[in-house]
Amino acid sequence: MSAVFDFSPAAIAELARADAARALAEDVGAGDLTAGLVDPARRAVARVLARESAVICGAPWAEAAFAQVDPGLKVRWLVPEGSRCQADQVVLEVEGAARSLLTAERTALNFLQLLSAVATKTATYVEAVRGTRAQIVDTRKTLPGLRLAQKYAVKTGGGTNHRIGLYDAVLIKENHIAAAGGVTAVLRQARDVAARATFVEIEVERLDQLQEALDNGARMVLLDNMDLPMLREAVRINAGRAILEISGGVTLEKLRALAETGVDRISIGTLTKDIKATDFSMRLKEL
């Protein structure tokens, strides 16, 4: 059930380069008018400070932003990717032309603050279900154009990726079932595309739908907005035949109880959708 994007270091580096190029074009355009006020010969060291505890994520994107502005900038991470920093800790130092540091600052920090926030939130949810069988899974509720970056951040925080997009897996939801003529009919249709998909999953809202799905060979079922007694009964009915996933109305407060029902996966849109950026600041010191 792995997503089609392999998240290898080489693939991540190429993704980060493309994302950074797009972001710099948006921010810098024809040139940084304000940084142009600084003597091009001046050199400085920039220290990036985390204002709060966080799981650091986004190093490839920050590095790509600095490198594309000025390949001569020297980057040194004091807190490695995927490690937790403490409040008021310096996580990164960058040395080089002061103009270049000023131009790259906002793009580099934008990636760092977003992706660290996603990784940190994911880590919190993963910790809440520790000791159960449940995996924490992301969704397609991502920022347009930054889905792969955010899914990378979920993995960095210890979570699991769901499908990347509409093209790599089948997820049959309520409207698909209604349009196709019911659970049995839509699952029969899904057999024709199963070989091209990383997985086929069907969403159900009732226990009778779950039974019908299982009777028609479903191997992955999304249990939508079920309460705890209903979820426990779903796990009993399933008896290990299909992978069971919870979705809908999941909060951190309810998460442990949901995981303890015995389901395999809990998908959570808030990991990538409702994000408060991690607070970072950059300070320059002239050399």
mmCIF file of all heavy atoms in Angstrom, residues 69-101:
data_model
loop_
_atom_site.group_PDB
_atom_site.id
_atom_site.type_symbol
_atom_site.label_atom_id
_atom_site.label_comp_id
_atom_site.label_asym_id
_atom_site.label_seq_id
_atom_site.Cartn_x
_atom_site.Cartn_y
_atom_site.Cartn_z
ATOM 1 N N VAL A 69 19.681 30.764 -4.618
ATOM 2 C CA VAL A 69 20.000 32.187 -4.525
ATOM 3 C C VAL A 69 21.499 32.407 -4.678
ATOM 4 O O VAL A 69 21.945 33.326 -5.380
ATOM 5 C CB VAL A 69 19.493 32.763 -3.188
ATOM 6 C CG1 VAL A 69 20.059 34.169 -2.944
ATOM 7 C CG2 VAL A 69 17.969 32.804 -3.180
ATOM 8 N N ASP A 70 22.294 31.543 -4.045
ATOM 9 C CA ASP A 70 23.747 31.706 -4.084
ATOM 10 C C ASP A 70 24.406 30.366 -3.751
ATOM 11 O O ASP A 70 24.418 29.953 -2.589
ATOM 12 C CB ASP A 70 24.173 32.774 -3.069
ATOM 13 C CG ASP A 70 25.666 33.064 -3.095
ATOM 14 O OD1 ASP A 70 26.421 32.303 -3.730
ATOM 15 O OD2 ASP A 70 26.069 34.062 -2.466
ATOM 16 N N PRO A 71 24.963 29.692 -4.755
ATOM 17 C CA PRO A 71 25.625 28.405 -4.498
ATOM 18 C C PRO A 71 26.803 28.503 -3.539
ATOM 19 O O PRO A 71 27.256 27.488 -3.006
ATOM 20 C CB PRO A 71 26.105 27.965 -5.893
ATOM 21 C CG PRO A 71 25.268 28.735 -6.852
ATOM 22 C CD PRO A 71 24.974 30.037 -6.187
ATOM 23 N N GLY A 72 27.296 29.719 -3.299
ATOM 24 C CA GLY A 72 28.431 29.894 -2.407
ATOM 25 C C GLY A 72 28.072 29.923 -0.932
ATOM 26 O O GLY A 72 28.970 29.925 -0.071
ATOM 27 N N LEU A 73 26.782 29.937 -0.610
ATOM 28 C CA LEU A 73 26.374 29.936 0.791
ATOM 29 C C LEU A 73 26.688 28.591 1.433
ATOM 30 O O LEU A 73 26.467 27.539 0.838
ATOM 31 C CB LEU A 73 24.879 30.232 0.913
ATOM 32 C CG LEU A 73 24.430 31.632 0.486
ATOM 33 C CD1 LEU A 73 22.911 31.754 0.578
ATOM 34 C CD2 LEU A 73 25.094 32.716 1.333
ATOM 35 N N LYS A 74 27.207 28.630 2.652
ATOM 36 C CA LYS A 74 27.567 27.411 3.369
ATOM 37 C C LYS A 74 26.541 27.168 4.482
ATOM 38 O O LYS A 74 26.377 27.994 5.373
ATOM 39 C CB LYS A 74 28.970 27.531 3.964
ATOM 40 C CG LYS A 74 30.055 27.675 2.902
ATOM 41 C CD LYS A 74 31.423 27.838 3.540
ATOM 42 C CE LYS A 74 32.512 28.009 2.475
ATOM 43 N NZ LYS A 74 33.847 28.203 3.089
ATOM 44 N N VAL A 75 25.887 26.005 4.413
ATOM 45 C CA VAL A 75 24.799 25.664 5.337
ATOM 46 C C VAL A 75 25.285 24.620 6.335
ATOM 47 O O VAL A 75 25.889 23.615 5.947
ATOM 48 C CB VAL A 75 23.582 25.116 4.557
ATOM 49 C CG1 VAL A 75 22.478 24.703 5.515
ATOM 50 C CG2 VAL A 75 23.065 26.155 3.560
ATOM 51 N N ARG A 76 24.992 24.857 7.612
ATOM 52 C CA ARG A 76 25.364 23.892 8.653
ATOM 53 C C ARG A 76 24.175 23.700 9.607
ATOM 54 O O ARG A 76 23.735 24.649 10.263
ATOM 55 C CB ARG A 76 26.582 24.385 9.445
ATOM 56 C CG ARG A 76 27.075 23.382 10.497
ATOM 57 C CD ARG A 76 28.451 23.766 11.015
ATOM 58 N NE ARG A 76 28.408 24.914 11.889
ATOM 59 C CZ ARG A 76 28.416 24.847 13.232
ATOM 60 N NH1 ARG A 76 28.460 23.668 13.831
ATOM 61 N NH2 ARG A 76 28.394 25.941 13.954
ATOM 62 N N TRP A 77 23.676 22.471 9.639
ATOM 63 C CA TRP A 77 22.555 22.165 10.523
ATOM 64 C C TRP A 77 23.056 21.791 11.906
ATOM 65 O O TRP A 77 23.917 20.929 12.043
ATOM 66 C CB TRP A 77 21.717 21.027 9.943
ATOM 67 C CG TRP A 77 20.961 21.447 8.727
ATOM 68 C CD1 TRP A 77 21.364 21.319 7.433
ATOM 69 C CD2 TRP A 77 19.694 22.105 8.698
ATOM 70 N NE1 TRP A 77 20.412 21.845 6.586
ATOM 71 C CE2 TRP A 77 19.377 22.335 7.336
ATOM 72 C CE3 TRP A 77 18.784 22.517 9.673
ATOM 73 C CZ2 TRP A 77 18.199 22.957 6.929
ATOM 74 C CZ3 TRP A 77 17.607 23.133 9.276
ATOM 75 C CH2 TRP A 77 17.320 23.353 7.929
ATOM 76 N N LEU A 78 22.497 22.404 12.911
ATOM 77 C CA LEU A 78 22.837 22.088 14.302
ATOM 78 C C LEU A 78 21.829 21.112 14.905
ATOM 79 O O LEU A 78 22.121 20.463 15.916
ATOM 80 C CB LEU A 78 22.899 23.371 15.128
ATOM 81 C CG LEU A 78 23.873 24.439 14.593
ATOM 82 C CD1 LEU A 78 23.851 25.670 15.475
ATOM 83 C CD2 LEU A 78 25.286 23.871 14.498
ATOM 84 N N VAL A 79 20.640 21.041 14.306
ATOM 85 C CA VAL A 79 19.632 20.049 14.683
ATOM 86 C C VAL A 79 19.273 19.298 13.405
ATOM 87 O O VAL A 79 18.760 19.891 12.461
ATOM 88 C CB VAL A 79 18.374 20.705 15.286
ATOM 89 C CG1 VAL A 79 17.344 19.627 15.645
ATOM 90 C CG2 VAL A 79 18.736 21.516 16.530
ATOM 91 N N PRO A 80 19.546 17.990 13.342
ATOM 92 C CA PRO A 80 19.316 17.237 12.100
ATOM 93 C C PRO A 80 17.838 17.107 11.755
ATOM 94 O O PRO A 80 16.957 17.200 12.629
ATOM 95 C CB PRO A 80 19.927 15.862 12.406
ATOM 96 C CG PRO A 80 20.744 16.041 13.646
ATOM 97 C CD PRO A 80 20.133 17.173 14.399
ATOM 98 N N GLU A 81 17.580 16.861 10.493
ATOM 99 C CA GLU A 81 16.224 16.597 10.004
ATOM 100 C C GLU A 81 15.601 15.447 10.790
ATOM 101 O O GLU A 81 16.204 14.388 10.989
ATOM 102 C CB GLU A 81 16.307 16.219 8.515
ATOM 103 C CG GLU A 81 14.982 16.044 7.836
ATOM 104 C CD GLU A 81 14.418 17.349 7.307
ATOM 105 O OE1 GLU A 81 14.792 18.421 7.851
ATOM 106 O OE2 GLU A 81 13.632 17.317 6.367
ATOM 107 N N GLY A 82 14.365 15.660 11.248
ATOM 108 C CA GLY A 82 13.644 14.634 11.987
ATOM 109 C C GLY A 82 13.904 14.618 13.480
ATOM 110 O O GLY A 82 13.256 13.861 14.204
ATOM 111 N N SER A 83 14.837 15.448 13.947
ATOM 112 C CA SER A 83 15.131 15.526 15.384
ATOM 113 C C SER A 83 14.339 16.666 16.010
ATOM 114 O O SER A 83 13.959 17.623 15.340
ATOM 115 C CB SER A 83 16.626 15.753 15.615
ATOM 116 O OG SER A 83 17.380 14.669 15.130
ATOM 117 N N ARG A 84 14.106 16.572 17.296
ATOM 118 C CA ARG A 84 13.354 17.612 17.994
ATOM 119 C C ARG A 84 14.299 18.667 18.545
ATOM 120 O O ARG A 84 15.322 18.341 19.151
ATOM 121 C CB ARG A 84 12.513 17.012 19.122
ATOM 122 C CG ARG A 84 11.656 18.058 19.851
ATOM 123 C CD ARG A 84 10.681 17.413 20.806
ATOM 124 N NE ARG A 84 9.565 16.775 20.149
ATOM 125 C CZ ARG A 84 8.445 17.413 19.757
ATOM 126 N NH1 ARG A 84 8.323 18.722 19.954
ATOM 127 N NH2 ARG A 84 7.477 16.742 19.182
ATOM 128 N N CYS A 85 13.947 19.910 18.320
ATOM 129 C CA CYS A 85 14.689 21.028 18.908
ATOM 130 C C CYS A 85 13.907 21.559 20.105
ATOM 131 O O CYS A 85 12.720 21.276 20.270
ATOM 132 C CB CYS A 85 14.900 22.140 17.881
ATOM 133 S SG CYS A 85 13.384 23.023 17.436
ATOM 134 N N GLN A 86 14.580 22.331 20.912
ATOM 135 C CA GLN A 86 13.947 22.975 22.055
ATOM 136 C C GLN A 86 13.694 24.448 21.754
ATOM 137 O O GLN A 86 14.270 25.017 20.824
ATOM 138 C CB GLN A 86 14.822 22.823 23.297
ATOM 139 C CG GLN A 86 15.098 21.371 23.658
ATOM 140 C CD GLN A 86 13.841 20.545 23.813
ATOM 141 O OE1 GLN A 86 12.899 20.963 24.489
ATOM 142 N NE2 GLN A 86 13.815 19.370 23.196
ATOM 143 N N ALA A 87 12.841 25.055 22.535
ATOM 144 C CA ALA A 87 12.573 26.479 22.355
ATOM 145 C C ALA A 87 13.853 27.291 22.541
ATOM 146 O O ALA A 87 14.662 26.994 23.419
ATOM 147 C CB ALA A 87 11.516 26.942 23.360
ATOM 148 N N ASP A 88 14.038 28.278 21.681
ATOM 149 C CA ASP A 88 15.187 29.192 21.708
ATOM 150 C C ASP A 88 16.498 28.511 21.359
ATOM 151 O O ASP A 88 17.575 28.991 21.732
ATOM 152 C CB ASP A 88 15.298 29.890 23.074
ATOM 153 C CG ASP A 88 14.074 30.731 23.393
ATOM 154 O OD1 ASP A 88 13.531 31.358 22.472
ATOM 155 O OD2 ASP A 88 13.643 30.738 24.554
ATOM 156 N N GLN A 89 16.422 27.411 20.626
ATOM 157 C CA GLN A 89 17.629 26.709 20.182
ATOM 158 C C GLN A 89 17.968 27.120 18.747
ATOM 159 O O GLN A 89 17.087 27.215 17.894
ATOM 160 C CB GLN A 89 17.419 25.196 20.253
ATOM 161 C CG GLN A 89 18.653 24.383 19.887
ATOM 162 C CD GLN A 89 18.447 22.891 20.091
ATOM 163 O OE1 GLN A 89 17.366 22.451 20.490
ATOM 164 N NE2 GLN A 89 19.461 22.108 19.816
ATOM 165 N N VAL A 90 19.254 27.356 18.484
ATOM 166 C CA VAL A 90 19.707 27.613 17.120
ATOM 167 C C VAL A 90 19.750 26.286 16.375
ATOM 168 O O VAL A 90 20.402 25.339 16.819
ATOM 169 C CB VAL A 90 21.091 28.287 17.104
ATOM 170 C CG1 VAL A 90 21.580 28.468 15.664
ATOM 171 C CG2 VAL A 90 21.038 29.642 17.807
ATOM 172 N N VAL A 91 19.030 26.212 15.266
ATOM 173 C CA VAL A 91 18.928 24.949 14.535
ATOM 174 C C VAL A 91 19.769 24.942 13.260
ATOM 175 O O VAL A 91 20.069 23.874 12.722
ATOM 176 C CB VAL A 91 17.457 24.627 14.188
ATOM 177 C CG1 VAL A 91 16.620 24.536 15.457
ATOM 178 C CG2 VAL A 91 16.863 25.642 13.216
ATOM 179 N N LEU A 92 20.185 26.124 12.797
ATOM 180 C CA LEU A 92 20.840 26.208 11.500
ATOM 181 C C LEU A 92 21.707 27.456 11.437
ATOM 182 O O LEU A 92 21.331 28.511 11.942
ATOM 183 C CB LEU A 92 19.758 26.281 10.410
ATOM 184 C CG LEU A 92 20.156 26.640 8.983
ATOM 185 C CD1 LEU A 92 21.056 25.571 8.387
ATOM 186 C CD2 LEU A 92 18.901 26.821 8.133
ATOM 187 N N GLU A 93 22.886 27.312 10.822
ATOM 188 C CA GLU A 93 23.743 28.455 10.535
ATOM 189 C C GLU A 93 24.065 28.467 9.046
ATOM 190 O O GLU A 93 24.330 27.415 8.458
ATOM 191 C CB GLU A 93 25.043 28.395 11.336
ATOM 192 C CG GLU A 93 24.849 28.648 12.827
ATOM 193 C CD GLU A 93 26.176 28.679 13.575
ATOM 194 O OE1 GLU A 93 27.203 28.248 12.982
ATOM 195 O OE2 GLU A 93 26.185 29.107 14.737
ATOM 196 N N VAL A 94 24.025 29.655 8.441
ATOM 197 C CA VAL A 94 24.344 29.803 7.024
ATOM 198 C C VAL A 94 25.315 30.971 6.888
ATOM 199 O O VAL A 94 25.062 32.061 7.410
ATOM 200 C CB VAL A 94 23.095 30.067 6.172
ATOM 201 C CG1 VAL A 94 23.438 29.986 4.690
ATOM 202 C CG2 VAL A 94 21.987 29.088 6.507
ATOM 203 N N GLU A 95 26.411 30.738 6.180
ATOM 204 C CA GLU A 95 27.448 31.761 6.044
ATOM 205 C C GLU A 95 27.651 32.115 4.576
ATOM 206 O O GLU A 95 27.645 31.245 3.709
ATOM 207 C CB GLU A 95 28.763 31.248 6.632
ATOM 208 C CG GLU A 95 29.897 32.261 6.604
ATOM 209 C CD GLU A 95 31.172 31.713 7.202
ATOM 210 O OE1 GLU A 95 31.077 30.878 8.135
ATOM 211 O OE2 GLU A 95 32.263 32.103 6.736
ATOM 212 N N GLY A 96 27.837 33.422 4.324
ATOM 213 C CA GLY A 96 28.114 33.857 2.960
ATOM 214 C C GLY A 96 27.764 35.306 2.744
ATOM 215 O O GLY A 96 27.741 36.100 3.701
ATOM 216 N N ALA A 97 27.510 35.675 1.499
ATOM 217 C CA ALA A 97 27.198 37.057 1.160
ATOM 218 C C ALA A 97 25.924 37.499 1.865
ATOM 219 O O ALA A 97 24.898 36.808 1.816
ATOM 220 C CB ALA A 97 27.042 37.195 -0.349
ATOM 221 N N ALA A 98 25.994 38.660 2.527
ATOM 222 C CA ALA A 98 24.844 39.137 3.289
ATOM 223 C C ALA A 98 23.629 39.346 2.390
ATOM 224 O O ALA A 98 22.492 39.028 2.775
ATOM 225 C CB ALA A 98 25.210 40.443 3.994
ATOM 226 N N ARG A 99 23.849 39.871 1.178
ATOM 227 C CA ARG A 99 22.744 40.069 0.238
ATOM 228 C C ARG A 99 22.001 38.756 -0.011
ATOM 229 O O ARG A 99 20.770 38.704 -0.012
ATOM 230 C CB ARG A 99 23.274 40.579 -1.102
ATOM 231 C CG ARG A 99 23.378 42.087 -1.238
ATOM 232 C CD ARG A 99 23.650 42.409 -2.701
ATOM 233 N NE ARG A 99 23.825 43.834 -2.915
ATOM 234 C CZ ARG A 99 23.962 44.380 -4.118
ATOM 235 N NH1 ARG A 99 23.975 43.597 -5.198
ATOM 236 N NH2 ARG A 99 24.103 45.677 -4.240
ATOM 237 N N SER A 100 22.759 37.711 -0.267
ATOM 238 C CA SER A 100 22.154 36.414 -0.585
ATOM 239 C C SER A 100 21.370 35.866 0.602
ATOM 240 O O SER A 100 20.272 35.298 0.434
ATOM 241 C CB SER A 100 23.241 35.420 -0.988
ATOM 242 O OG SER A 100 23.942 35.872 -2.124
ATOM 243 N N LEU A 101 21.908 35.998 1.785
ATOM 244 C CA LEU A 101 21.215 35.523 2.978
ATOM 245 C C LEU A 101 19.879 36.231 3.148
ATOM 246 O O LEU A 101 18.866 35.606 3.471
ATOM 247 C CB LEU A 101 22.086 35.743 4.214
ATOM 248 C CG LEU A 101 23.370 34.907 4.290
ATOM 249 C CD1 LEU A 101 24.262 35.410 5.418
ATOM 250 C CD2 LEU A 101 23.028 33.430 4.497
#
